[in-house]
């Protein structure tokens, strides 16, 4: 499995230091949540922060765009240091222009699906993206409870995509439920609250399988 700690739950006053702790814990990815106040109610951060932390780490920057018109920002996010860019199927009429933009830059393309959107919305595109992100909370806030009903969607994705495809799960993962999330078929696990509350290195070790 790949663990992708979500810095939404980090202490931004000491962000670089906390990212070093993520590295020491052994994680290889960093999940970076970009929110615009339109696609989701919340606003987080974007290019200047990504660019700043890029100087301090070689971790894989897994950028999750929770924004309208994602295609307008893909180049800027990649210029800031993204290694992978995931956008929402609900934010676009046709995902292909965004997929092509990401791939043309040689980056990993991810397609995200919110809890209430049926799996059928993303199945037609699984051969054209590198990863599907199944949201297990409503996008917009950290610290919410994992929606177990999304496990059916994860199982359907795994059946359709085969065993090596990247299926990411984001929202509400804890030390208690991570094994059932993996059993459903996820292999890329985002964790925010559960990594950044308390001892970051220890938490990452406890979550790693
Ligand atoms: C929610 C974000 C998540 C969030 C996860 O909209 O996409 O990445 O940071 O946080 P936890 O692990 O606290 O649910
Ligand atoms: Zn996220």
């Amino acid at each position: 499995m790949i663990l992708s700690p979500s810095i939404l739950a980090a202490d931004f006053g000491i962000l670089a230091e906390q990212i070093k702790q993520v590295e020491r814990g052994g994680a290889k990815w960093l999940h970076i949540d970009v929110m615009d106040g339109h696609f989701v109610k919340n606003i987080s951060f974007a290019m200047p922060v990504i660019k700043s932390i890029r100087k301090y780490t070689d971790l894989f920057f897994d950028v999750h765009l929770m924004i309208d018109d994602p295609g307008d920002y893909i180049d800027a996010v990649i210029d800031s240091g993204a290694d992978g860019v995931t956008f929402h199927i609900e934010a676009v009429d046709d995902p292909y222009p965004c997929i092509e933009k990401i791939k043309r830059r040689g980056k990993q393309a991810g397609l995200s699906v919110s809890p209430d959107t049926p799996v059928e919305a993303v199945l037609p595109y699984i051969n054209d993206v590198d990863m599907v992100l199944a949201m297990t909370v409503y996008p917009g806030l950290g610290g919410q409870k994992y929606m177990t009903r999304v496990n059916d969607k994860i199982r359907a994705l795994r059946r359709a995509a085969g065993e090596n495809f990247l299926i990411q799960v984001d929202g509400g993962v804890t030390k208690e439920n991570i094994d059932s999330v993996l059993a459903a078929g996820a292999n890329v696990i985002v964790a925010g609250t559960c990594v950044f509350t308390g001892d970051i290195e220890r938490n990452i070790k406890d979550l790693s399988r």
Side-chain angles (χ1 to χ4, degrees), residues 23 46 88 97 133 135 138 149 160 181 194 209:
E23 288 181 354
H88 271 260
L133 162 54
M135 289 301 299
Y138 291 119
R149 65 180 164 91
V181 179
C194 147
R209 299 287 186 272

Side-chain angles (χ1 to χ4, degrees), residues 4-9 31-35 40 64 66 88 133 135-146 170-174 190-195:
S4 194
S6 171
I7 57 167
L8 192 64
H31 187 80
I32 298 176
D33 286 310
V34 176
M35 304 178 187
V40 292
H64 177 194
M66 285 165 276
H88 271 260
L133 162 54
M135 289 301 299
T136 43
V137 296
Y138 291 119
L141 282 176
Q144 303 178 76
K145 194 174 176 308
Y146 186 92
D170 183 9
V173 174
T174 64
V190 176
T193 306
C194 147
V195 165

Side-chain angles (χ1 to χ4, degrees), residues 185-203:
N187 52 2
V188 185
I189 305 293
V190 176
T193 306
C194 147
V195 165
F196 288 95
T197 305
D199 182 339
I200 296 171
E201 277 184 63
R202 176 81 262 148
N203 291 338

Side-chain angles (χ1 to χ4, degrees), residues 42 44 48 53 59 62 74 84 86-87 95 101-102 111 113 119 122 129 148 168 174 177 208:
N42 204 5
S44 57
I53 59 176
L59 289 171
D62 162 36
I74 285 169
T86 298
F87 62 97
K101 256 190 181 166
I102 299 165
L111 188 58
V113 56
V119 70
V122 290
V129 293
T148 45
Q168 184 173 55
T174 64
N177 66 15
S208 297

